[in-house]
Amino acid sequence: GDSVTQMEGPVTLSEEAFLTINCTYTATGYPSLFWYVQYPGEGLQLLLKATKADDKGSNKGFEATYRKETTSFHLEKGSVQVSDSAVYFCALTTEETSGSRLTFGEGTQLTVNP
Amino acid sequence: DAGVIQSPRHEVTEMGQEVTLRCKPISGHDYLFWYRQTMMRGLELLIYFNNNVPIDDSGMPEDRFSAKMPNASFSTLKIQPSEPRDSAVYFCATEQYFGPGTRLTVL
């Protein structure tokens, strides 16, 4: 079956540090890949996505590149802020139509200290 | 569009009571998902619908849980009777977009 493996947390960084959260996947079909962010006490927000190999999703300074050869979709940000403290989830869907069921990773807690 | 709307945002009830969670999806989205999130088990998919028809309810934990989608603009998740172990945040999502969740506490 499909699965997503995320870098274990928690991750603690100082403000302006470089962030990488690793995500690898296994999928039976050709997946679309997503990163979600969950701020404390809130729901999951779609942060970025990529639907085919070598696509780069980007939003709010975050980037992730769909790497089919390594089955990875690592999340990066060049300079984190305290406001980026949240839980980050990597996810995929493999079905043809958009919005079909997502398979999530376990989530990675990020804390950014001033 | 206001996004996915869930109500109530918080619910506190006593064991044995019936609980109904509500969701208004984004107009035009064909898929609707109900998730549960807890510290112990993380994010779990309970059930999802396509065009108001339940497609997969294998994640529904017990017969105490039921979900309906009578039309394209409304869905409910019901727990009857509720138990303390049902305490969690319940999310409704349509396509890839999540609602703010309902935080349920069963005493």
Side-chain angles (χ1 to χ4, degrees):
Chain A
D2 301 336
S3 68
V4 176
T5 303
Q6 278 184 240
M7 170 180 178
E8 285 190 22
V11 174
T12 302
L13 296 173
S14 298
E15 205 163 26
E16 298 183 2
F18 185 85
L19 169 71
T20 300
I21 301 178
N22 290 338
C23 171
T24 57
Y25 66 89
T26 58
T28 53
Y30 196 114
S32 295
L33 303 172
F34 306 85
W35 275 101
Y36 284 82
V37 58
Q38 186 176 26
Y39 298 104
E42 298 185 13
L44 277 74
Q45 299 176 25
L46 179 61
L47 181 60
L48 54 84
K49 67 179 182 181
T51 58
K52 62 182 188 295
D54 300 325
D55 270 2
K56 177 186 284 188
S58 61
N59 187 22
K60 298 181 182 179
F62 291 89
E63 293 184 339
T65 301
Y66 189 142
R67 300 286 188 202
K68 194 168 188 288
E69 64 277 13
T70 55
T71 62
S72 65
F73 193 54
H74 304 322
L75 182 68
E76 296 182 338
K77 187 174 185 181
S79 176
V80 294
Q81 305 300 310
V82 173
S83 58
D84 294 326
S85 298
V87 180
Y88 292 81
F89 293 90
C90 186
L92 66 82
T93 181
T94 56
E95 294 167 2
E96 290 296 328
T97 55
S98 66
S100 49
R101 61 181 303 168
L102 289 155
T103 299
F104 283 92
E106 294 297 312
T108 301
Q109 172 77 55
L110 170 66
T111 301
V112 181
N113 294 319
Chain B
D1 199 315
V4 178
I5 299 172
Q6 290 188 247
S7 64
R9 293 293 310 275
H10 302 272
E11 176 80 28
V12 179
T13 190
E14 293 188 346
M15 183 174 62
Q17 296 298 307
E18 177 181 297
V19 175
T20 300
L21 311 181
R22 297 173 175 78
C23 175
K24 183 180 186 313
I26 295 172
S27 177
H29 285 187
D30 294 332
Y31 286 87
L32 183 141
F33 304 84
W34 281 101
Y35 293 89
R36 178 172 69 176
Q37 187 179 39
T38 62
M39 290 292 291
M40 291 296 292
R41 295 185 298 271
L43 197 61
E44 303 172 279
L45 175 65
L46 301 177
I47 184 172
Y48 75 99
F49 296 82
N50 182 17
N51 291 318
N52 312 337
V53 176
I55 302 300
D56 185 350
D57 65 354
S58 59
M60 297 286 261
E62 299 173 33
D63 291 345
R64 299 183 295 107
F65 285 70
S66 62
K68 294 182 180 179
M69 192 165 184
N71 56 63
S73 59
F74 185 63
S75 177
T76 59
L77 177 68
K78 185 178 292 186
I79 308 172
Q80 167 62 16
S82 59
E83 297 183 2
R85 59 195 168 117
D86 301 331
S87 298
V89 181
Y90 291 82
F91 291 106
C92 175
T94 63
E95 307 290 318
Q96 296 130 25
Y97 303 97
F98 279 69
T102 296
R103 182 173 295 277
L104 173 65
T105 302
V106 183
L107 302 175

